[in-house]
Amino acid sequence: MIKISPHFSFEELTCTSYPDFKTLNRIDGKEYLPQLTALSFYLLEPIRLILNSPLKITSAYRCPALNDFAGGCSSSQHLKGEAADFIPLNIGLNEAFAKIKTCPSLHFGQLISEPGWIHISLGTPFRSLNKCGQVLIK
């Protein structure tokens, strides 16, 4: 197992529930190790502390084939290892989303409350400044 940060591994950030894409996703994901490391240190680790809760990563890096299969956007930051979908294990989604959204020390590109999980992506320099700080509820 390749530890990226104290609480997140490369395997966890390249996981998929679609077995046909697991190997390809991990092979392709190695190219994006710097971005996955930034995602872990700048967003996932701080969020874990803010929420005082472990996070279950449901999706982070997605190879193009997996992203297409999952119906992801062609410009998704998941394709570059710059976004993660997660479920906090010790706090409700609505409360977690509210805490993340109002935390002044978190600098993100997008924060989206999806049905069943939270999506977050890296901000600058990974996402242009004019597209940073977007908060959406779906």
Side-chain angles (χ1 to χ4, degrees), residues 3-52:
K3 288 296 267 182
I4 291 179
S5 69
H7 298 100
F8 299 97
S9 69
F10 173 78
E11 291 78 10
E12 183 176 15
L13 297 177
T14 57
C15 70
T16 177
S17 59
Y18 303 109
D20 293 348
F21 298 99
K22 185 176 181 177
T23 301
L24 179 60
N25 208 50
R26 294 232 165 104
I27 291 169
D28 286 2
K30 288 180 181 174
E31 180 180 343
Y32 299 97
L33 197 52
Q35 291 92 325
L36 291 168
T37 301
L39 180 66
S40 295
F41 278 99
Y42 295 133
L43 293 176
L44 299 177
E45 290 288 352
I47 288 170
R48 196 176 189 284
L49 283 173
I50 291 162
L51 301 180
N52 192 29

Side-chain angles (χ1 to χ4, degrees), residues 77-136:
Q77 285 184 274
H78 284 285
L79 290 163
K80 298 182 267 180
E82 299 171 1
D85 298 337
F86 64 91
I87 302 166
L89 299 181
N90 295 342
I91 184 173
L93 284 174
N94 291 337
E95 185 180 354
F97 184 77
K99 283 185 173 191
I100 295 166
K101 178 174 81 170
T102 58
C103 181
S105 63
L106 282 178
H107 303 285
F108 53 82
Q110 286 184 318
L111 176 66
I112 304 172
S113 178
E114 298 272 5
W117 71 88
I118 295 171
H119 168 92
I120 197 157
S121 69
L122 287 166
T124 58
F126 303 94
R127 186 174 177 90
S128 63
L129 187 58
N130 66 328
K131 291 185 174 183
C132 285
Q134 294 179 341
V135 178
L136 304 166

